[in-house]
Amino acid sequence: MSETETPVIDASPTKEFFIYMLVRDVPLVRAIIDLIDNSLDGAQRMVAALVSAASDPQSLLNSASETNIASPSNAIGSESAVASESSPSEDLTGYHVNVTLGPDALTVEDNCGGIPFEVARDYAFRFGRDPKAPPTSHSIGQFGVGMKRTIFKVGMSFTVSSVSTESRFTVSQDVAVWLADAKKWNFDFETLQTGLQIPVAETGTALKVTRLHPAVADLFERIKFTTDLKDELEQAHATSLQRGFVINVNGIPLGIQEFKLLSSDLLAPAYAILNVPPPIGRVHGVTIRIYAGLVKERSLEKGGWYVFCNGRQVLVADQSSTTGWTSEMDVGTSDKEKDSIPKYHADFAFFRGFVFFDSKDASQLPWTTTKTGVDADSAVFRAARREMMRVMRPITRFLRELATETGEEEKGAISETPLSDAINSAESVSYSDVNKPGAFVAPARQSRTRRDVVKVQYELARSKLDEAKERLNVSSARQVGELTFDYFYKAECE
Amino acid sequence: MMPPSHRLVNYRLRPAKAIERKMMCEAFARLSALHPVDRFQYVGYGSTSFADFVLVHRSLGISKMVSIERQQRSEARFRFNVPFDCVDIKFGESSDVLTAVDFRQPSIVWLDDDQSLTSSILQDIEYVVGSMKAPGAFAVSVNASPWSEVAVDPDIAQKRLSKLRELVGDGNIPLGTTGESLAGWGTAKVYYQIIADTIKNAVSDRGVADGTTYRQLLHFHYADGAKMLTVGGLLCRSEDTTAFDVAGFDKLFFVRRGADPFVIKVPVLTFREMRYLDQLLPHGRARIPKDLFPESDIDEYAIIYRYFPMYAETDL
């Protein structure tokens, strides 16, 4: 058989795959949150450019396609092969994104720098991230799937208008028309101007999705959908909101959630740092920061682990084996009775853990494409989980002790409650104020001493008690109890 | 614990409530365009007065009636007060008892509560409008007074918002709701949004399968004492569209299809004045002496005179 006749197997993608299949894997709320990731990446690029411009004016010229040329100390084989990757912390004040859910359209517009013409032409609309695409340091819009997936999930027509410092364009596409031509994978610029000089303050991107799917339009009008979106956005982008980024949903600004843990002389949160070196051929590794401790207000729902990748929250209050809680399957029956292994339950409602994975190279982070979970099989996450379990163990032990203490106090078996006292007297501090790595610190429980006195409690008819009070000439039920016991004891026991 | 409402007040002595009840009955009567009205089932909270049951039975001829009563202590007393033997009293919390009501027959349901809106009331609403066979009518009433009527507390706005969160849950509160917006009739406005959203969503979800749609007709505000809110409407089948138009619900002057309520105002007039005005209504307004009554009282009375309760007619 000659070369030309060799049959080949067609493995090309279909448009239907992106329009109808992929959209099923992401809930609508999360799909909308994905769009904000692009705005945040834009804001991150802008502030990074300003920061480097301050130290090196030349670099601002290259800001649109910032490349992560590693500093010598980060290079493989250099002295400190495992460099610590910082969390992005620049102030994002002044950058915003407005999300508007209407009966006819979803619009998302930001002032985060816009999409440069070349990026739009070559990368931004590709399905899947092109490895040649200019990287964004600490990117969260990592997979090259979010915007397109969200558009298809929401409606059948879209317009993207973007203004960057040197270009201005509009792309409009009717999805049904695009679908009709199976071969053509391009979108066309509706308007395009390049080589401009536009002030930074005027830059930004607006996405408008119209011809909404009826089910989506229905959801957009529901109170619960908008409150869910607000709540999940506040969670997902908590660290960016803390940095001053503003997100408005239907004109209402999101609130800032703070992550706090109890701290005092007696009680200190655990803090651990792990630096995972870059794999061969990569420049940047991953830094994992683990904070864990207690909060004052117990909440069964909110207890658990919170996991972030480059500041983007991907797990909320996780109480599963993913984050190191023991699953039912891993516990022997005899241990189940002893309750000696930390499977999440009510006693642990005071527990909070925060894990931050950071890398300038976002592809190293253990997140899923929907950013609603972690890639628990990845080596980076497994390393983190091992450490999380280690960090968690003294805390769950403390909480079991606390439950015992509370029980014994109720029974009157102990007089002091150092554990609950420690919780009540501690202050809530932001996790970011915990600077020194160290294990969880907490006081020890008062050992159960056989005390000489016991508390006795019983119920009886009110009328009878009142009669006895009158006869004994006392006013409290307690006095009735003591005097009647003495009376019996004197008569029958002495 | 507040005393149960039947211990506080005889419903029949609340004129605005009585007016609302009669207006609702007038709207229900037009259901005959969709289904013979006497063959609907009526489900409500009769308390000891059964005022709505009496009106519904007498004016619409409905004779299958279920009253839900959460006070179980005075069971015998409620049974003693049953006005007709066609009223079946079911004792227990509404959330439990509603599941025992047969909603496979066309029904008129009025969850006439006198407490604040709570998530359990919302769940009752969801359950009923999700279960009721169409055509049917559904209404819900709640006490929509702002929490703590006397607003001298400097933190009152924040406390009202916290109270609302406590009652209905964060997820049910429309975005942008502030504590300040809950003052006066503001609580009623927010409750309306929440209730309307709940009904619409539940019907929209079931409508995917059975084509049922919801058309709001009722949105009342009134205050006999507490500020009260009633929201309701019809559940229709797809084939009811023409009948709905023929029924002419829109022609009833108190019907409100949206967020703007019909406010029931009760003028303070003596019986003699009212009988006098009755003789000159609806066509003889010009003959009413200008200086005798305040103009606003006449305006208000002219709107509600047909529904004004006659306290002389009493059950003895």
Side-chain angles (χ1 to χ4, degrees):
Chain A
M1 224 190 278
S2 77
E3 277 269 296
T4 51
E5 284 164 354
T6 307
V8 292
I9 296 164
D10 185 1
S12 58
T14 64
K15 291 182 177 181
E16 283 82 356
F17 173 70
F18 295 99
I19 296 175
Y20 301 122
M21 314 294 165
L22 209 52
V23 296
R24 291 159 191 258
D25 297 338
V26 62
L28 184 56
V29 164
R30 305 301 302 203
I32 294 170
I33 294 174
D34 268 354
L35 295 174
I36 280 83
D37 290 352
N38 296 329
S39 298
L40 261 167
D41 273 356
Q44 183 64 38
R45 269 194 300 273
M46 299 293 280
V47 293
L50 288 174
V51 167
S52 59
S55 57
D56 171 14
Q58 272 297 308
S59 72
L60 187 58
L61 301 173
N62 302 327
S63 66
S65 56
E66 187 219 343
T67 48
N68 281 303
I69 297 163
S71 64
S73 69
N74 273 0
I76 299 164
S78 73
E79 272 181 21
S80 105
V82 186
S84 182
E85 297 272 327
S86 63
S87 296
S89 59
E90 300 90 345
D91 186 13
L92 297 176
T93 304
Y95 294 99
H96 70 249
V97 56
N98 298 325
V99 182
T100 310
L101 313 175
D104 307 311
L106 164 70
T107 54
V108 177
E109 54 95 10
D110 69 36
N111 65 345
C112 301
I115 308 170
F117 157 67
E118 294 83 1
V119 174
R121 184 193 57 196
D122 299 336
Y123 306 111
F125 292 90
R126 292 283 307 274
F127 289 87
R129 185 179 174 79
D130 186 323
K132 295 197 294 287
T136 294
S137 179
H138 294 113
S139 166
I140 53 175
Q142 162 63 15
F143 300 102
V145 66
M147 179 175 71
K148 279 79 70 182
R149 179 164 54 189
T150 307
I151 289 170
F152 298 148
K153 178 121 191 146
V154 170
M156 288 301 280
S157 184
F158 70 90
T159 303
V160 176
S161 319
S162 194
V163 179
S164 70
T165 49
E166 74 274 10
S167 64
R168 201 187 271 282
F169 70 82
T170 311
V171 176
S172 274
Q173 186 66 54
D174 180 320
V175 176
V177 171
W178 183 73
L179 177 64
D181 185 345
K183 291 276 183 297
K184 185 185 172 222
W185 281 77
N186 331 336
F187 299 134
D188 298 318
F189 285 107
E190 191 176 75
T191 64
L192 172 65
Q193 295 169 278
T194 54
L196 309 173
Q197 280 203 318
I198 297 171
V200 170
E202 290 170 27
T203 62
T205 302
L207 164 69
K208 184 169 187 174
V209 186
T210 51
R211 297 186 50 212
L212 303 183
H213 299 303
V216 171
D218 179 347
L219 284 174
F220 280 5
E221 287 190 31
R222 299 188 178 201
I223 292 173
K224 271 214 179 79
F225 185 80
T226 51
T227 53
D228 268 4
L229 177 64
K230 175 177 182 283
D231 192 46
E232 294 213 26
L233 274 168
E234 282 173 357
Q235 300 263 2
H237 292 302
T239 61
S240 302
L241 292 165
Q242 288 163 9
R243 290 164 62 201
F245 193 70
V246 170
I247 303 175
N248 295 302
V249 175
N250 289 349
I252 309 295
L254 298 191
I256 298 170
Q257 299 199 343
E258 295 198 74
F259 305 119
K260 293 190 164 181
L261 294 170
L262 287 180
S263 177
S264 70
D265 295 344
L266 297 167
L267 208 59
Y271 173 34
I273 309 179
L274 294 181
N275 284 307
V276 179
I280 293 163
R282 294 284 185 155
V283 178
H284 297 286
V286 178
T287 294
I288 307 164
R289 292 178 183 78
I290 300 169
Y291 304 85
L294 308 174
V295 292
K296 208 160 264 181
E297 307 267 316
R298 51 171 306 175
S299 162
L300 192 58
E301 273 173 38
K302 292 181 184 164
W305 285 100
Y306 294 70
V307 177
F308 304 78
C309 288
N310 275 352
R312 169 73 142 85
Q313 190 160 359
V314 294
L315 274 185
V316 177
D318 190 89
Q319 304 163 355
S320 74
S321 57
T322 304
T323 51
W325 298 98
T326 308
S327 80
E328 197 69 39
M329 272 173 69
D330 300 335
V331 187
T333 352
S334 56
D335 277 336
K336 261 180 203 159
E337 277 157 28
K338 280 191 290 182
D339 194 25
S340 61
I341 297 196
K343 181 171 172 292
Y344 185 81
H345 62 76
D347 290 348
F348 302 146
F350 291 101
F351 176 85
R352 299 290 184 282
F354 306 106
V355 188
F356 297 86
F357 292 87
D358 287 295
S359 178
K360 288 202 175 77
D361 178 358
S363 70
Q364 300 301 307
L365 300 175
W367 45 12
T368 59
T369 72
T370 54
K371 296 167 196 158
T372 51
V374 292
D375 176 4
D377 302 324
S378 71
V380 168
F381 191 78
R382 290 207 309 265
R385 178 169 47 203
R386 186 65 53 198
E387 187 65 14
M388 285 153 69
M389 288 168 78
R390 211 181 59 75
V391 161
M392 178 160 57
R393 212 176 166 84
I395 305 175
T396 51
R397 190 182 129 81
F398 171 87
L399 288 173
R400 267 200 307 273
E401 295 266 279
L402 176 70
T404 310
E405 181 188 90
T406 309
E408 293 197 340
E409 193 212 359
E410 276 166 14
K411 278 186 273 171
I414 51 170
S415 55
E416 311 260 306
T417 54
L419 307 197
S420 62
D421 293 351
I423 289 184
N424 293 332
S425 64
E427 298 268 331
S428 293
V429 301
S430 169
Y431 73 89
S432 54
D433 293 340
V434 182
N435 302 315
K436 254 197 292 173
F440 177 68
V441 176
R445 180 161 62 91
Q446 186 194 28
S447 58
R448 186 190 178 124
T449 48
R450 238 190 106 82
R451 295 200 305 158
D452 295 341
V453 289
V454 287
K455 199 185 264 180
V456 181
Q457 221 176 3
Y458 53 90
E459 284 181 24
L460 42 75
R462 184 176 292 281
S463 57
K464 286 186 181 171
L465 179 79
D466 289 343
E467 259 181 278
K469 272 187 194 167
E470 214 178 307
R471 282 297 184 90
L472 292 163
N473 193 23
V474 295
S475 57
S476 76
R478 180 199 171 112
Q479 286 168 305
V480 172
E482 285 167 358
L483 290 171
T484 51
F485 184 85
D486 288 349
Y487 181 80
F488 173 84
Y489 191 84
K490 235 174 234 164
E492 303 291 338
C493 305
E494 270 183 4
Chain B
M1 260 309 264
M2 270 181 51
S5 59
H6 71 278
R7 302 291 295 272
L8 281 179
V9 63
N10 178 347
Y11 276 117
R12 301 189 128 201
L13 299 181
R14 291 161 57 177
K17 175 93 197 166
I19 292 165
E20 175 192 55
R21 195 156 46 224
K22 289 185 184 171
M23 288 176 168
M24 287 172 68
C25 242
E26 195 166 301
F28 295 154
R30 299 201 174 206
L31 281 168
S32 57
L34 288 82
H35 187 79
V37 76
D38 57 346
R39 279 197 255 143
F40 280 87
Q41 154 184 252
Y42 182 76
V43 181
Y45 298 159
S47 190
T48 44
S49 77
F50 293 96
D52 49 340
F53 286 74
V54 172
L55 188 63
V56 163
H57 182 63
R58 285 191 178 149
S59 64
L60 304 179
I62 289 175
S63 54
K64 181 156 190 349
M65 311 181 107
V66 178
S67 178
I68 294 167
E69 184 49 62
R70 66 171 73 106
Q71 281 303 121
Q72 280 168 292
R73 267 184 305 173
S74 29
E75 202 173 312
R77 182 153 174 232
F78 285 102
R79 291 203 191 285
F80 180 79
N81 281 290
V82 164
F84 311 109
D85 88 332
C86 58
V87 179
D88 173 19
I89 309 187
K90 290 185 189 292
F91 291 92
E93 284 300 324
S94 54
S95 51
D96 299 329
V97 177
L98 281 169
T99 58
V101 174
D102 180 5
F103 284 116
R104 287 169 302 178
Q105 52 193 314
S107 307
I108 297 171
V109 182
W110 184 7
L111 306 182
D112 184 10
D113 223 301
D114 52 7
Q115 309 288 318
S116 298
L117 184 65
T118 60
S119 40
S120 78
I121 295 178
L122 291 174
Q123 279 169 11
D124 287 350
I125 295 173
E126 269 184 349
Y127 177 77
V128 174
V129 300
S131 320
M132 276 175 70
K133 186 184 156 95
F138 172 82
V140 57
S141 299
V142 289
N143 180 335
S145 300
W147 182 74
S148 176
E149 276 280 20
V150 191
V152 286
D153 184 341
D155 300 327
I156 191 69
Q158 204 42 52
K159 285 182 184 166
R160 280 180 178 154
L161 193 58
S162 313
K163 188 70 188 174
L164 181 65
R165 288 207 179 99
E166 200 182 295
L167 289 171
V168 303
D170 273 340
N172 284 314
I173 302 176
L175 285 194
T177 303
T178 61
E180 287 76 13
S181 70
L182 297 173
W185 282 98
T187 298
K189 286 182 187 150
V190 172
Y191 282 180
Y192 168 77
Q193 282 179 274
I194 299 172
I195 292 170
D197 183 71
T198 303
I199 299 174
K200 193 168 142 275
N201 298 344
V203 179
S204 167
D205 289 345
R206 69 174 282 192
V208 171
D210 65 11
T212 304
T213 54
Y214 169 68
R215 289 153 209 242
Q216 182 189 306
L217 297 176
L218 307 173
H219 183 184
F220 290 111
H221 279 185
Y222 69 84
D224 279 325
K227 294 183 170 64
M228 297 296 295
L229 165 74
T230 296
V231 185
L234 301 190
L235 274 73
C236 300
R237 300 160 296 187
S238 44
E239 65 263 35
D240 291 331
T241 311
T242 317
F244 179 85
D245 295 339
V246 169
F249 290 103
D250 284 324
K251 294 195 183 74
L252 296 168
F253 67 93
F254 52 80
V255 157
R256 290 292 181 273
R257 306 291 303 272
D260 183 27
F262 178 82
V263 182
I264 301 173
K265 288 188 190 138
V266 182
V268 182
L269 295 166
T270 68
F271 283 110
R272 186 185 287 272
E273 288 165 344
M274 286 191 281
R275 295 300 80 80
Y276 172 74
L277 291 172
D278 283 349
Q279 290 181 312
L280 298 170
L281 288 169
H283 303 302
R285 277 207 54 179
R287 285 181 280 137
I288 300 171
K290 288 274 179 288
D291 47 351
L292 193 53
F293 307 101
E295 192 76 9
S296 60
D297 281 3
I298 301 170
D299 288 342
E300 284 169 15
Y301 189 68
I303 292 169
I304 51 99
Y305 77 101
R306 287 203 298 122
Y307 309 91
F308 204 91
M310 311 275 277
Y311 286 118
E313 280 179 22
T314 174
D315 281 334
L316 289 173

